[in-house]
Amino acid sequence: HCETWNGDLTIKNSGVNSLAGLEALEDVTGDLTITMTNLTNLVGLENLASIGGDLQIGSDFSLVNISQLTSLTEVLGDIRITQVTNLPNLEGLYGLTSVHGDLYLGNGGLLNLNGLENVTTIGGSLTIEKNDDLFTLEGLSGLEAIGQSLVVNSNDQLKSLAPLSGLGPMSGSAHVSFTHNPQLCTTEIAAFIDTLCGDVSSCEQTSNGNNLTCADNEACSEGTCTCVPACDVKSCGDDGC
């Protein structure tokens, strides 16, 4: 029964369906990688408190629950959760108050970002991309600072940036990118980028492929118009509105 694992710990095998036997583990000094397993949860890691390197969870298509990580309070590297298509949220990461490196959430089944409520700073970049079912950024409402880049790309159902309203201005060398989010209003994106970058000319900005049909405070008229309140989207049929 090992309390500290010195170096990297990689759990990778489609035959792995349980982490029983790791209950005593409290610290991993290097990276912890869980990939290509048949795990549905992380029972066995309830006492894991710190990771000295990266936390990587990827291509675990059976994983539906990571709530067993509630003891985790420190990850000194990146957190990358990608291609975990049946994981709806990040509940279990409540103990984290910061991400020292990058936070990458991509190609997954996330519906929301619940579990990240206590994270106030990300030292590196925040990337949220190709999450087809992600409809809200709730869970990041406590985020105040990002050290490098913010990339929000190809999230088909994402409708609002409101949960990021507490995010402070980016540094002069930052990169802010919003691309191919068909439900996100271009006007909301523009105002948000302006808040993050302000007058800093070296703050690189990209915005394209987002929702061009939205208008502030536009009411829906009679006929075939539909309206998405979070974006005030007006969509008219052939008969006009």
Side-chain angles (χ1 to χ4, degrees), residues 9-20:
L9 173 58
T10 299
I11 301 169
K12 178 183 179 181
N13 192 308
S14 60
V16 175
N17 56 21
S18 171
L19 297 180

Side-chain angles (χ1 to χ4, degrees), residues 202-220:
S202 59
C203 181
E204 184 181 351
Q205 307 170 30
T206 304
S207 177
N208 60 67
N210 303 300
N211 192 343
L212 299 174
T213 65
C214 52
D216 293 336
N217 302 316
E218 184 174 24
C220 292

Side-chain angles (χ1 to χ4, degrees), residues 36-59:
M36 300 171 63
T37 71
N38 200 31
L39 292 167
T40 60
N41 58 56
L42 300 182
V43 171
L45 295 182
E46 291 88 347
N47 292 312
L48 182 64
S50 69
I51 298 172
D54 300 339
L55 170 61
Q56 302 183 69
I57 302 175
S59 301

Side-chain angles (χ1 to χ4, degrees), residues 126 128 137 140-141 143 150 152 161-168 178 192 196:
L126 171 61
I128 302 170
L137 297 180
L140 288 178
S141 56
L143 187 61
L150 171 62
V152 180
L161 298 174
L164 295 180
S165 61
L167 190 58
F178 291 87
F192 184 73
L196 292 186

